[in-house]
Amino acid sequence: MWQEIAKYGRKLVEHGLVESNFGNISLRAGDRMLITRTGAALDEITENNVVEVDVWGTSSLDIIASSEAIVHREIYRQTSALAVIHAHAPYAVVESLLAGSEGRISPVDSEGQYFLGEIPVVGGGIGSRELAGNLANALSKYRGAIVYSHGTFAIGKTLGDAYIVTTQLEHSCKVKYLYECAKAEKGNK
């Protein structure tokens, strides 16, 4: 399973959705989850960069797991997700700053409207219980959400599903940002 995590880690970095040592990826396997280690370069994942921890309780390995392990754990507890990807997609971060910590982003592109509907923005500190609860709540209703000023979280039955949601979140935020800039520039002429 770590090979699948490595594959999507490389894709995230190659497509500019995360800087190498930021973001995290997990897969659920029954009552366990495999999650990237804290500080792991997502484009250089090996078997040693993935930690297996319990979904329902904490573990001594939590200390080397991603700082967002608490968030992934709560998402698995409250949703039917089997895969979670957290990226620091730049346009999504910008749009979250514009929307506010409890805002919503309405895609302007037809794919975003169809595929995502609305994009919730949630608040909470990195790796905090507050963030874990806010994200799990949002992801029980949506396939993706953006943490205010931080990045995207996307869920799926597979990492491929979660990756598609991640790319759609970023694409829709990019289109919205560029559209609003062009509209503002046109209005100033």
Side-chain angles (χ1 to χ4, degrees), residues 81-144:
L82 297 175
V84 176
I85 291 179
H86 166 46
H88 294 183
Y91 284 94
V93 171
V94 169
E95 284 297 320
S96 78
L97 292 166
L98 295 170
S101 63
E102 294 179 23
R104 298 261 186 256
I105 298 167
S106 297
V108 296
D109 63 306
S110 58
E111 292 84 5
Q113 292 169 358
Y114 177 79
F115 193 67
L116 300 170
E118 194 173 55
I119 305 167
V121 178
V122 301
I126 296 170
S128 69
R129 290 196 184 286
E130 176 190 14
L131 179 58
N134 290 344
L135 263 174
N137 183 48
L139 293 174
S140 69
K141 301 173 196 99
Y142 299 92
R143 295 188 289 177

Side-chain angles (χ1 to χ4, degrees), residues 53-65:
V53 295
D54 194 288
V55 168
W56 300 104
T58 57
S59 154
S60 61
L61 293 177
D62 283 3
I63 196 159
I64 61 171

Side-chain angles (χ1 to χ4, degrees), residues 5-177:
I5 292 172
K7 173 185 170 181
Y8 285 98
R10 282 189 304 277
K11 288 173 75 101
L12 288 168
V13 174
E14 288 169 3
H15 292 101
L17 297 167
V18 66
E19 295 302 314
S20 183
N21 290 77
F22 298 98
N24 37 70
I25 303 170
S26 70
L27 281 168
R28 182 174 183 169
D31 289 336
R32 311 286 292 161
M33 75 173 168
L34 292 161
I35 189 166
T36 50
R37 287 176 69 133
T38 189
L42 293 186
D43 55 347
E44 298 175 0
I45 295 293
T46 66
E47 188 173 11
N48 295 329
N49 299 118
V50 177
V51 180
E52 185 175 329
V53 295
D54 194 288
V55 168
W56 300 104
T58 57
S59 154
S60 61
L61 293 177
D62 283 3
I63 196 159
I64 61 171
S66 167
S67 60
E68 301 282 13
I70 185 175
V71 176
H72 289 246
R73 189 175 273 130
E74 194 62 25
I75 291 167
Y76 290 130
R77 288 176 181 171
Q78 292 191 38
T79 72
S80 61
L82 297 175
V84 176
I85 291 179
H86 166 46
H88 294 183
Y91 284 94
V93 171
V94 169
E95 284 297 320
S96 78
L97 292 166
L98 295 170
S101 63
E102 294 179 23
R104 298 261 186 256
I105 298 167
S106 297
V108 296
D109 63 306
S110 58
E111 292 84 5
Q113 292 169 358
Y114 177 79
F115 193 67
L116 300 170
E118 194 173 55
I119 305 167
V121 178
V122 301
I126 296 170
S128 69
R129 290 196 184 286
E130 176 190 14
L131 179 58
N134 290 344
L135 263 174
N137 183 48
L139 293 174
S140 69
K141 301 173 196 99
Y142 299 92
R143 295 188 289 177
I146 305 172
V147 178
Y148 178 75
S149 83
H150 184 57
T152 60
F153 274 81
I155 60 173
K157 296 292 182 198
T158 66
L159 283 177
D161 293 343
Y163 180 76
I164 289 168
V165 174
T166 300
T167 60
Q168 186 62 59
L169 288 165
E170 178 66 352
H171 178 77
S172 290
C173 286
K174 181 177 183 178
V175 169
K176 182 175 179 64
Y177 179 80

